[in-house]
Amino acid sequence: MTVGSQVKTCYATLKSIEAGLDLLHASTTEQDLKTTIDETSQLIKIARQDLHQQIIHIDKQEPQYKS
Amino acid sequence: MPEWISIIIRSIILITVLFFFVKWLGAKQLSQLNIFETISGIVLGGIAAFHTVDPYNSFYYALLAMFVWFIAAFTIEKLSLKSKRIRDFTDGKSTVFIQNGKVMEENLKKEGYSTDDLLEKLRNNDQFLVSDVEFAVLEPTGELNVLPKRENRPITLKDLNIAPAPDKEPQTVIADGNILLEPLANASLNPTWLEAELEKQNVTIDNVFLGQVDHQGQLFLDLYDDHITVPEPAQSALLLASMKKCQADLELFALATDNPQAKELYDRNQKRLQEAVRRMEPYLK
């Protein structure tokens, strides 16, 4: 597994975490938990976008491994 | 009218009357009854018993006597709810046995408690040393309640400075294979959701003995058929685990790369994930 694909796996996990948080947000009735999820979701989103830039960067560096 | 028929009729009427009187007097536990309630309970029962087996007594007298006793007990109960003074008189007052860690000998004597009685009551409350007790009070019911000294109290989350996630009561939504609509509505869910959830776990509603929903909306099932194992809901645990894994991955990338710019990026996001895990952990555990 190249570094690029490893980072991409991590990116996918982040996406799945975001979806999981959304699911929890929809299924809970607790206002407290909802706000915490909102905050956390924002953090994950920023991290995901940041990582996306890195993926583009890696792909540019070694186009032969681009997937 | 033959006597035996009269006895049957009297019994049935008196049972009904007694039942309603006791119901109106309130459903306190027997040990919590004060002296008036105890006496009126016994007398009501006595009148009922006496007039059931004796067909020659006037039945109306029985009803009259029972009614008077009921009214007396009822009035005293209502009055004692209103006034603290009457309550002190009917229910009795609590007596302090230990205050600031010191035994109040006067109060012990007043209530007729010997040292052995006091020690026995303390032991009932898991206190074997008088010096461990800050405060102890004898309730009117004869029960001793004990407040241990600060250092001897069980540790709580507050002591440990841990903020727990708020926890609501679970709702029982399926009992004996039937959907209970009211608890389901309390959990702000509907039967369609329940059916979908059952389908997901691959069980029919007839097979479910008990189903409960926790505050996160996870469904726990117990089936009639104990050979089928139902997977325990692990959504939240899974979510937390994947967050931790992601954080660990990013940490690993940061260590593995030589490029300072990339290192900085991985590190930054790793910290974000760490913060996310810290925030969600109390809820997802």
Side-chain angles (χ1 to χ4, degrees), chain A residues 32-48:
Chain A
D32 227 39
L33 180 54
K34 277 198 193 231
T35 35
T36 313
I37 290 174
D38 280 336
E39 289 162 12
T40 316
S41 198
Q42 201 56 37
L43 272 175
I44 303 278
K45 195 175 169 198
I46 297 169
R48 181 174 60 83

Side-chain angles (χ1 to χ4, degrees), chain B residues 1-10 55-56 59:
Chain B
M1 190 159 49
E3 281 170 13
W4 62 273
I5 291 186
S6 147
I7 288 181
I8 289 177
I9 294 173
R10 277 165 179 249
Y56 301 110
F59 189 59

